[in-house]
Amino acid sequence: MQETFSIIKPDATKRNITGSINMLIEKSGLRIIAQKRIKLNKDQAVQFYIVHKEKSFFNDLVDYMTSEPVVVQVLSGENAIERYREVMGATNPENAEEGTIRKQHALNVQENSVHGSDSIENAKKEISFFFKSEEIVG
Ligand code: IDP
Ligand code: MG
């Protein structure tokens, strides 16, 4: 069993499709073992995406991530980190496979509906950034 960190992003909360996304997560066999709706502040968004600080899209990304509420989640399952990356689909929805969250719901490469951790180390870091251990109930 493994845990990964997920965000349902502002484009999705704004369009009221958090339930549709959770349905795809649960249909994939992953379990939502922690979840809360929050509004990120600028400091949180900058810190969360700090690895992208040199990218041309960084400022836009921070503005977008703070524009509307998000839903932060911990997902568990076998091989959850890689599994959720598959369920999400490619970063750019134009390249995402049929049936993935991003193929079904993303608007464009920035407003791509979901985040998922990309490594064990980052999953640990991202989960503890948003959740206390007693908020995670498997
Ligand atoms: P990921 O979310 O699939 O892991 P990353 O490369 O880590 O993709 O990028 C983080 C986020 O930054 C993306 O999910 C997307 O919201 C945004 N992003 C990535 N590449 C671009 C781009 O080329 N233009 C605009 N936004 C981008
Ligand atoms: Mg990433």
Side-chain angles (χ1 to χ4, degrees):
M1 276 300 176
Q2 195 175 58
E3 291 178 2
T4 192
F5 177 74
S6 161
I7 305 180
I8 302 179
K9 290 177 168 184
D11 67 274
T13 60
K14 190 175 184 178
R15 287 178 290 149
N16 205 26
I17 56 169
T18 62
S20 306
I21 291 172
N22 278 348
M23 196 172 73
L24 292 174
I25 291 170
E26 291 182 336
K27 258 174 64 182
S28 79
L30 292 166
R31 297 180 78 84
I32 301 163
I33 60 168
Q35 174 168 260
K36 58 189 172 190
R37 183 174 169 107
I38 59 174
K39 185 118 191 303
L40 294 183
N41 62 39
K42 190 175 173 183
D43 285 351
Q44 286 173 307
V46 165
Q47 210 191 318
F48 186 78
Y49 276 123
I50 199 73
V51 295
H52 294 305
K53 67 174 186 299
E54 307 300 339
K55 306 266 172 64
S56 58
F57 59 79
F58 182 71
N59 288 336
D60 282 350
L61 178 60
V62 169
D63 287 347
Y64 156 62
M65 289 300 292
T66 55
S67 65
E68 296 282 337
V70 297
V71 176
V72 292
Q73 305 174 310
V74 181
L75 310 180
S76 85
E78 211 170 295
N79 206 13
I81 295 169
E82 203 184 312
R83 182 88 194 89
Y84 188 47
R85 296 289 309 191
E86 287 167 10
V87 172
M88 286 164 49
T91 306
N92 186 340
E94 286 176 19
N95 304 326
E97 301 216 7
E98 226 37 73
T100 60
I101 294 171
R102 282 168 165 170
K103 178 71 178 185
Q104 283 196 31
H105 295 296
L107 300 176
N108 52 58
V109 68
Q110 178 189 72
E111 298 172 294
N112 59 4
S113 303
V114 280
H115 164 86
S117 308
D118 60 8
S119 67
I120 293 174
E121 191 195 348
N122 284 337
K124 283 211 179 92
K125 236 192 276 180
E126 292 172 2
I127 290 168
S128 62
F129 191 79
F130 287 104
F131 290 99
K132 301 179 191 145
S133 60
E134 64 265 29
E135 293 177 311
I136 303 166
V137 184

